[in-house]
Amino acid sequence: MTIQHHPQPDILIAYAAGTLPGAISCVVACHLSMCSTCAEEMRWLEMLGGVILEKEKPGATPTSKAFTHPAAHWFADMPPPANPQQSPPPMTVGDAWLPTPLALYLGMRGDDIPWKQIVRGVRQLWVKLPKHSGPVRLLRLAPGVRLLEHAHRGMELTLVLQGVYADHTGEYVRGDVIEWAEDTLHQPWVSGADECICLVGSEKMPRFSRLTARLLRPFMGF
């Protein structure tokens, strides 16, 4: 399937400038590793940034980040995996859904992810980022699952890694990015017969009702 939904231009520009929250940058980095169209746009943005730097500071050498993998500069600033002496695991067919930059950062294959069940049909893994980066997690949803209706506090990006993710705005497939602004209310569900895996990065935790938040507190990490 062809990727139809990409990060907005202002998001890519902010990513290139290094001004996005860490959780949002994580999702963008993974999308760039999957989308040749956005990766090419990012190369142009980073090269343009190098030209601007050269004009502002004659003799300055653009950082090598502008000429490496477009997702590399975000992960290069992150702490190493728990066991930095261990070589990154080789990618296998069974890991086809997990973006390579995230697999290398986690230091594990997709088949080795220690999912934690929240409720029936919903599993997740929190990705540990530096403090104040914002929450980011992998969600694994069974066919037919419908999540709780919720609003957002700040920007949220969802990257579909497997299956079909849907809400009132339409259906999204592998590689698609869905952007939600603050106070947007929606209720996602899994469309089709296959399970859905998504990477979700937010500026802040989603806003549920007080009762729902209290019931979910032991599972959601807030």
Side-chain angles (χ1 to χ4, degrees):
M1 297 183 181
T2 304
I3 298 174
Q4 298 290 339
H5 303 275
H6 309 268
Q8 296 296 319
D10 59 327
I11 298 247
L12 293 179
I13 291 171
Y15 176 85
T19 59
L20 283 178
I24 304 297
S25 292
C26 175
V27 177
V28 174
C30 289
H31 174 77
L32 291 173
S33 73
M34 302 166 65
C35 178
S36 59
T37 299
C38 288
E40 184 62 25
E41 290 185 16
M42 185 56 58
R43 290 187 184 95
W44 279 106
L45 285 172
E46 291 184 327
M47 285 191 287
L48 178 61
V51 172
I52 293 174
L53 176 65
E54 175 64 27
K55 287 186 176 181
E56 291 183 349
K57 298 181 180 180
T61 302
T63 173
S64 60
K65 293 177 181 179
F67 304 99
T68 57
H69 190 286
H73 72 270
W74 185 83
F75 286 97
D77 295 334
M78 295 293 98
N83 186 359
Q85 302 301 321
Q86 183 178 356
S87 299
M91 297 298 100
T92 66
V93 175
D95 299 318
W97 64 267
L98 186 64
T100 299
L102 185 56
L104 296 176
Y105 174 66
L106 292 173
M108 66 180 70
R109 295 182 290 266
D111 292 340
D112 298 328
I113 287 179
W115 298 102
K116 180 178 181 180
Q117 183 165 317
I118 305 174
V119 294
R120 184 177 179 182
V122 180
R123 290 179 282 175
Q124 72 176 8
L125 172 76
W126 289 100
V127 179
K128 295 181 180 180
L129 302 183
K131 192 175 182 180
H132 306 306
S133 294
V136 59
R137 57 180 170 154
L138 285 164
L139 274 178
R140 188 169 186 170
L141 311 172
V145 161
R146 183 177 293 266
L147 298 178
L148 293 171
E149 186 177 61
H150 61 278
H152 301 286
R153 298 186 298 166
M155 182 193 311
E156 177 180 287
L157 288 188
T158 297
L159 172 63
V160 181
L161 303 178
Q162 179 176 296
V164 182
Y165 172 103
D167 59 22
H168 67 280
T169 64
E171 294 187 342
Y172 304 88
V173 299
R174 176 173 168 79
D176 281 342
V177 170
I178 309 100
E179 178 182 348
W180 292 105
E182 187 170 2
D183 293 328
T184 303
L185 187 67
H186 75 138
Q187 184 176 23
W189 65 86
V190 178
S191 180
D194 298 322
E195 68 177 3
C196 179
I197 301 177
C198 297
L199 179 66
V200 184
S202 311
E203 288 186 282
K204 300 178 181 178
M205 287 298 303
R207 181 185 292 115
F208 298 92
S209 70
R210 290 185 178 180
L211 174 60
T212 301
R214 187 165 66 250
L215 292 173
L216 293 179
R217 190 179 302 274
F219 307 101
M220 302 294 288
F222 62 92

